[in-house]
Amino acid sequence: MSVNRTLLSVDKSSLIDFISTREEPEWILAERLQALELVEQLPYPKLEKTRLEQWDFGLLGSHVQPRRVSSLQELPAGAASHVVSENVIVGRNSGVAFIRLSDELEGKGVIFTDLDIAVRDHTDLVRPYYMRAIHANENIITALHATARTGGVFLYVPENVHIEVPLQALFVQDQADAIHMPHVLIVAEANSCVTFIENVISSLGSTGSYSTNGMLEVFVKPGAKVSIVSIHNVEASVIDTTYRRAVVEADGAIEWIIGELNEGNAVSDTTTLIQGTGASSDAKIICVGKGGQKLDLTTRAVHFGKHTDSDMLTKAVMTGQSTAIINGITKIEKGASGTNGQQTERVLMLSPEARGDANPILLIDEDDVKAGHAASVGQVNAEQLYYLMSRGINKEEAQRLIINGFLMPVIAEIPYEDVQDQIIQLVERKLGIKGGA
Amino acid sequence: MKTRLTINGLKAVIEGKEILKGFDLEIKGGEIHAVMGPNGTGKSTLASALMGHPKYEVTSGNVTLNGEDLLEMDVDERARAGLFLAMQYPSEIAGVTNSDFLRSAVNARREEGDEISLIKFIRQMESQMKTLEMNPEFMHRYLNEGFSGGEKKRNEILQMMMLEPKIAILDEIDSGLDIDALRIVAEGVNALRHEDRGFLIITHYQRLLNYIKPDFVHVMMQGRIVKSGGPELAERLEAEGYEWVKAELGIEDETVGQD
Ligand SMILES: Nc1ncnc2c1ncn2[C@@H]1O[C@H](COP(=O)(O)OP(=O)(O)OP(=O)(O)O)[C@@H](O)[C@H]1O
Ligand SMILES: [Mg+2]
């Protein structure tokens, strides 16, 4: 079989047409055209034991702008139930359908808007950051995103502003021929503080082949603190490729809480570049594999700054014939003395045909550091099951308790109970277990 | 119907080795039976085989609880039929809180749609914990995780009090308990004494039996009961050890043997 990039079915001339009709600042148009050249040249990302060339990404589709609505009720069925926050942007297919930001936050100078609008109205704020954490020239997927992305979210938190309530973006893909490339760009200025929740869902049906090509870029300025909750739950017919990347400056902190709860094949890469002295990164990931799903999940912390900390914890539950490659990469660059990088990957196998590979990797170019990893792949503990059942709890419920317990170290970290419940429900639905009391 | 557990000629093997070699006993509601015996004579195996631990294979004999065949039931069914085992070594389960676990166990005994309300459950659990002088924080701790030996034992009794079994087997519930805890746990057990509830108490020490007066005392050796008597038998064992029993019965190796 000849490997060709038409799996992504990119029609160059229609993309050139698309770019030429964009009413956008010159710089971004130039970058789109450059990226389009890269789409033709760059390879797929190199993944261990996963050959993306052979995945059916379906047609790229075209740009479908949603109708702007004034209430959540006008959104497709089920979408509103995902909204847990007063301050929310709903993206639909290739654009933004709904924006709500409180007067209070607006008054504090917070910008929370459609990225397309921000590119025009706040171009000086967007330009230094957009596609600067993740680069167009990394591979065909990032290049395609840089070429064709429309819609998305720009969140700007001014210096010293602490936002107590979460801000949320919900991305819905519900039209088969629409390009879906959600992009979140967050700039948290010095000593600011914010929590952001991202949900990606789809409603396309079980037949056909679709893809979502998303990015989340976060810039954490000195002393700022950003928490990201990112829950992906698209249908089996959708391939999800997602890059999440944070750049953290001195004494800044990022916290990732990630639910990889898609029904279909997925590749994700969540990376923190820990640039400044005293900065830190904490990543917690939940993943459930089901059916014939193939998952490739990478979590990475790269230490540049001195006295920086990173911690990563992945918990995966694998059922059916699903396969997960779970990579944890802790990289400590020369000069990043006094740093501490830790990681743990734990895989719970619920089926003999499922596979879970945990690959902890430490790459260390500095002497004066601490680094450690732990990884395990195991089954439900038979003694624990017996103990619970000896109290009258049936096997299904006992397993549910044990699985929830396994995931709890991540779930308990989620700062909002609504979101905790959302994740628990998604996990239980994916595992086909009935929720308990 | 009055509670009655009947064990007849029970034999069980683990990893190919026969450990229970024909165990007979009948426990009726209102009775307290104590089982004593040297280490490695099959006491915990008896408890595990009755509860249905998957590692223990019953090769012959039969067990009925109120006329129902216990050995035909899965572990959870045995529990719902009224059997409770306070284990010698309870499992630790991270991520599952004590209260979530116990509520699941309580609700497992109730019809769907008739689950206990959260408030009522919490009130019951709090009041039983108070009886056992347990710190309320144990409600939200993960099940047995990091509990001290004595705390685990108290937690076993807490579960028994919440689940109100018909037959309770307590496997060395006194080990690891300090003197005050021993009294508190024994009071918990005594509070549950009821004409419809039978107890099988496995212990090495008379001390516990001072608090919980048994009706019958059995000595277990070589995987079966070799001698039975009243409370005075436990007192004599405490004072003299097992040698006289072995001599009387002509037993040289009291364990279940190496065959
Ligand atoms: N899982 C197992 N694998 C192998 N042998 C076992 C297992 N469980 C029990 N045995 C063996 O069965 C015999 C009886 O063990 P059991 O735990 O029933 O003794 P016990 O009377 O409860 O002793 P103790 O007073 O020390 O608690 C012992 O020789 C023990 O080693
Ligand atoms: Mg024992």
Side-chain angles (χ1 to χ4, degrees):
Chain A
M1 195 186 79
S2 74
V3 171
N4 62 52
R5 40 206 58 224
T6 59
L7 286 180
L8 282 158
S9 297
V10 177
D11 176 357
K12 192 176 176 186
S13 66
S14 72
L15 281 175
I16 291 174
D17 287 349
F18 153 74
I19 294 168
S20 66
T21 60
R22 297 289 292 168
E23 286 172 21
E24 286 180 324
E26 257 329 295
W27 64 268
I28 195 167
L29 294 175
E31 289 183 17
R32 285 185 189 276
L33 286 169
Q34 271 170 21
L36 179 56
E37 296 304 313
L38 295 171
V39 172
E40 294 187 290
Q41 298 159 17
L42 293 179
Y44 283 85
K46 278 235 161 338
L47 304 175
E48 210 173 315
K49 295 180 194 153
T50 305
R51 292 180 48 85
L52 281 188
E53 292 86 338
Q54 293 173 355
W55 287 15
D56 183 2
F57 285 86
L59 293 168
L60 177 63
S62 57
H63 290 88
V64 178
Q65 288 303 324
R67 190 168 59 87
R68 193 54 78 84
V69 297
S70 54
S71 91
L72 288 171
Q73 274 57 51
E74 296 171 68
L75 292 168
S81 68
H82 287 80
V83 174
V84 295
S85 172
E86 258 313 290
N87 302 290
V88 61
I89 292 180
V90 180
R92 185 173 181 188
N93 299 314
S94 320
V96 166
F98 179 81
I99 301 178
R100 186 169 67 196
L101 177 66
S102 70
D103 293 342
E104 191 199 337
L105 291 183
E106 208 167 344
K108 287 181 173 168
V110 173
I111 302 170
F112 185 53
T113 189
D114 182 342
L115 184 52
D116 282 342
I117 295 174
V119 164
R120 285 193 292 266
D121 295 358
H122 305 284
T123 199
D124 294 344
L125 280 181
V126 172
R127 187 173 181 179
Y129 302 109
Y130 176 68
M131 294 300 301
R132 301 295 185 262
I134 305 160
H135 300 100
N137 67 7
E138 294 182 26
N139 56 57
I140 185 172
I141 289 171
T142 59
L144 190 60
H145 183 101
T147 307
R149 190 271 331 146
T150 56
V153 168
F154 178 60
L155 168 60
Y156 178 82
V157 187
E159 221 173 293
N160 297 321
V161 171
H162 285 223
I163 307 180
E164 308 294 339
V165 294
L167 291 95
Q168 185 182 17
L170 166 65
F171 294 104
V172 189
Q173 185 178 14
D174 71 338
Q175 188 163 324
D177 57 356
I179 289 179
H180 195 238
M181 299 188 173
H183 193 115
V184 174
L185 176 60
I186 299 174
V187 179
E189 292 287 12
N191 302 312
S192 66
C193 177
V194 66
T195 296
F196 181 81
I197 301 167
E198 182 212 40
N199 296 77
V200 179
I201 61 173
S202 72
S203 175
L204 293 167
S206 54
T207 55
S209 306
Y210 314 102
S211 62
T212 173
N213 173 341
M215 288 189 185
L216 217 158
E217 297 184 283
V218 189
F219 292 85
V220 183
K221 297 297 187 175
K225 183 176 184 322
V226 178
S227 297
I228 304 283
V229 179
S230 173
I231 304 169
H232 285 217
N233 173 228
V234 294
E235 296 154 289
S237 53
V238 185
I239 291 174
D240 179 7
T241 54
T242 293
Y243 285 85
R244 305 179 184 94
R245 202 166 296 168
V247 179
V248 186
E249 297 185 21
D251 300 315
I254 181 116
E255 179 185 41
W256 300 101
I257 295 166
I258 291 169
E260 302 283 7
L261 299 171
N262 292 312
E263 302 274 335
N265 291 358
V267 177
S268 81
D269 179 316
T270 304
T271 296
T272 306
L273 305 173
I274 313 172
Q275 299 280 12
T277 303
S280 69
S281 170
D282 185 285
K284 295 193 168 60
I285 293 97
I286 278 184
C287 158
V288 176
K290 174 184 171 182
Q293 244 186 318
K294 291 189 169 50
L295 304 168
D296 186 292
L297 313 176
T298 300
T299 315
R300 190 186 287 110
V302 189
H303 294 254
F304 298 94
K306 293 186 202 309
H307 305 288
T308 49
D309 283 344
S310 71
D311 195 25
M312 315 194 266
L313 170 65
T314 303
K315 295 254 175 166
V317 180
M318 304 302 295
T319 69
Q321 296 88 42
S322 60
T323 313
I325 312 278
I326 294 163
N327 303 305
I329 304 171
T330 307
K331 187 157 198 301
I332 303 180
E333 303 287 347
K334 185 108 198 98
S337 55
T339 66
N340 182 5
Q342 303 293 331
Q343 57 165 302
T344 305
E345 292 88 32
R346 305 239 179 261
V347 185
L348 182 63
M349 308 292 280
L350 295 185
S351 140
E353 288 112 55
R355 262 197 77 167
D357 291 358
N359 306 316
I361 301 163
L362 301 180
L363 303 165
I364 299 172
D365 290 323
E366 172 61 48
D367 297 328
D368 172 26
V369 299
K370 273 191 269 181
H373 65 79
S376 65
V377 178
Q379 288 152 2
V380 171
N381 181 308
E383 279 303 320
Q384 293 182 344
L385 203 57
Y386 164 70
Y387 186 73
L388 295 179
M389 288 176 71
S390 79
R391 288 355 183 191
I393 298 170
N394 69 35
K395 190 170 179 179
E396 192 185 45
E397 170 73 0
Q399 273 187 337
R400 188 187 75 84
L401 286 170
I402 291 170
I403 294 165
N404 274 353
F406 173 76
L407 298 176
M408 202 40 79
V410 178
I411 293 172
E413 290 298 313
I414 298 174
Y416 304 98
E417 217 170 296
D418 288 354
V419 184
Q420 290 190 0
D421 292 345
Q422 208 182 66
I423 288 216
I424 291 171
Q425 276 169 26
L426 282 175
V427 167
E428 290 183 345
R429 207 176 64 197
K430 245 197 118 169
L431 293 172
I433 45 185
K434 216 171 46 193
Chain B
M1 184 171 58
K2 213 170 164 203
T3 299
R4 182 190 296 263
L5 178 75
T6 311
I7 308 167
N8 261 324
L10 190 66
K11 293 187 180 179
V13 298
I14 178 157
E15 283 162 19
K17 185 169 143 192
E18 184 168 87
I19 311 244
L20 289 187
K21 303 183 175 187
F23 187 96
D24 302 297
L25 184 64
E26 181 164 80
I27 302 174
K28 296 205 218 48
E31 293 177 353
I32 295 191
H33 293 249
V35 170
M36 304 182 79
N39 295 130
T41 51
K43 302 180 299 296
S44 292
T45 301
L46 169 70
S48 297
L50 290 175
M51 198 69 243
H53 192 292
K55 273 197 177 165
Y56 298 81
E57 189 199 342
V58 172
T59 48
S60 74
N62 55 65
V63 182
T64 58
L65 177 55
N66 295 345
E68 283 187 87
D69 187 347
L70 205 68
L71 300 178
E72 279 297 305
M73 299 180 201
D74 285 336
V75 177
D76 55 318
E77 292 170 330
R78 295 180 195 200
R80 293 197 300 274
L83 191 65
F84 181 86
L85 169 57
M87 299 192 192
Q88 189 173 358
Y89 304 109
S91 283
E92 300 189 4
I93 306 184
V96 178
T97 64
N98 219 3
S99 63
D100 280 352
F101 152 68
L102 248 179
R103 192 146 65 97
S104 284
V106 168
N107 280 332
R109 286 157 176 76
R110 302 167 70 110
E111 295 297 318
E112 212 175 312
D114 183 38
E115 286 87 2
I116 188 168
S117 79
L118 183 59
I119 305 219
K120 194 167 169 208
F121 169 78
I122 297 284
R123 244 190 247 126
Q124 269 182 24
M125 186 163 172
E126 273 172 353
S127 111
Q128 303 288 32
M129 286 174 80
K130 211 166 167 183
T131 314
L132 292 170
E133 296 183 21
M134 290 174 78
N135 186 324
E137 75 165 36
F138 280 90
M139 205 154 184
H140 308 293
R141 289 267 300 265
Y142 290 152
L143 180 51
N144 291 330
E145 195 192 41
F147 285 27
S148 75
E151 287 163 353
K152 282 183 184 164
K153 298 292 175 169
R154 258 188 240 214
N155 207 39
E156 293 290 285
I157 295 303
L158 172 67
Q159 293 170 41
M160 178 181 76
M161 294 171 82
M162 294 290 291
L163 298 177
E164 303 182 327
K166 293 193 164 67
I167 295 287
I169 305 170
L170 311 182
D171 192 356
E172 296 200 22
I173 198 66
D174 48 340
S175 74
L177 290 181
D178 65 44
I179 295 160
D180 291 332
L182 183 70
R183 177 183 48 77
I184 292 161
V185 161
E187 279 168 8
V189 172
N190 284 329
L192 275 195
R193 286 187 82 151
H194 190 275
E195 58 178 37
D196 278 340
R197 186 171 292 123
F199 287 89
L200 177 67
I201 296 176
I202 298 169
T203 180
H204 287 294
Y205 305 106
Q206 166 62 28
R207 209 176 43 186
L208 178 67
L209 304 178
N210 287 338
Y211 289 108
I212 309 172
K213 202 113 201 92
D215 302 297
F216 305 94
V217 175
H218 312 279
V219 179
M220 198 164 166
M221 286 184 186
Q222 296 176 330
R224 63 174 80 87
I225 290 173
V226 294
K227 190 172 183 64
S228 296
E232 75 292 342
L233 177 54
E235 277 159 32
R236 184 162 176 206
L237 292 172
E238 176 91 353
E240 298 177 33
Y242 290 104
E243 281 308 319
W244 65 274
V245 182
K246 287 163 71 177
E248 191 179 291
L249 298 169
I251 293 171
E252 276 174 15
D253 178 5
E254 74 280 13
T255 69
V256 295
Q258 301 306 311
D259 52 347

